């Protein structure tokens, strides 16, 4: 690892937690994509696919960053279930309004978690911090676009 052991441990834990949250986000967005109904179905359906794509892109980048610092990433379902900090998405069909509300809540939770991790990596690994900043930028933009639908 290019990092001292203590920094590797701190950064590795942050990357693992972020990986779990992003895998969960991709699954939540896909679940919402399959179950959204209502007059704005099509736009929500397509916007959810964009969110899935963003999450999956960053899943790979986070896992590869973990490998680069000498930490084995774990994106297994059991690990994601046990460690994701995102709210549970409701079962069954959801109206487009319910979908928007749930996705806004999910993205808000992720933004808070990412911003905390950005602060935590300030001393342990600035390269990882830079990655987290990029993720937060895109997730915050997605949050804004979803939240705008509630106006």
């Amino acid at each position: 690892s290019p990092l001292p052991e203590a920094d590797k441990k701190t950064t590795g834990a942050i990357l693992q937690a972020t990986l779990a949250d992003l895998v969960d986000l991709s699954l939540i967005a896909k679940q919402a994509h399959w179950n959204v109904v209502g007059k704005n179905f099509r736009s929500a359906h397509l916007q959810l696919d964009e969110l899935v794509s963003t999450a999956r892109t960053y899943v790979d980048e986070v896992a590869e960053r973990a490998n680069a610092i000498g930490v084995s990433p774990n994106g297994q379902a059991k690990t994601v279930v046990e460690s994701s900090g995102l709210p549970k998405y409701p079962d069954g069909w959801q109206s487009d309004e319910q979908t928007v509300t749930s996705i806004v809540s999910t993205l808000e939770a992720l933004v808070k978690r990412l911003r905390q991790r950005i602060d935590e990596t300030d001393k342990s690994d600035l390269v990882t911090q830079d990655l987290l900043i990029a993720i937060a930028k895109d997730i915050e933009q997605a949050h804004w676009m979803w939240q705008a639908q509630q106006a």
Side-chain angles (χ1 to χ4, degrees), residues 33-145:
H33 170 87
W34 294 325
N35 287 285
V36 64
V37 295
K39 63 182 178 188
N40 293 315
F41 158 81
R42 181 157 172 73
S43 61
H45 188 77
L46 295 173
Q47 192 175 4
L48 286 161
D49 265 344
E50 292 172 6
L51 187 56
V52 170
S53 179
T54 297
R56 288 180 177 168
T57 295
Y58 283 122
V59 160
D60 202 43
E61 290 190 31
V62 167
E64 289 176 357
R65 180 65 191 151
N67 275 307
I69 66 164
V71 174
S72 175
N74 184 342
Q76 296 180 72
K78 181 179 179 185
T79 303
V80 172
V81 167
E82 292 172 350
S83 59
S84 174
L86 303 184
K88 181 186 180 307
Y89 191 79
D91 292 333
W93 293 295
Q94 301 294 309
S95 71
D96 45 1
E97 293 92 0
Q98 291 168 313
T99 300
V100 168
T101 298
S102 292
I103 294 300
V104 166
S105 175
T106 298
L107 294 174
E108 182 180 345
L110 181 54
V111 165
K112 287 179 183 176
R113 293 170 65 81
L114 286 167
R115 286 194 161 268
Q116 179 181 359
R117 293 171 187 153
I118 289 167
D119 290 343
E120 292 172 4
T121 53
D122 188 49
K123 299 282 189 248
S124 66
D125 184 28
L126 294 176
V127 175
T128 296
Q129 185 186 54
D130 189 50
L131 174 58
L132 295 173
I133 290 168
I135 296 167
K137 177 186 121 346
D138 286 349
I139 297 299
E140 286 178 3
Q141 182 180 32
H143 178 258
W144 159 61
M145 290 185 173

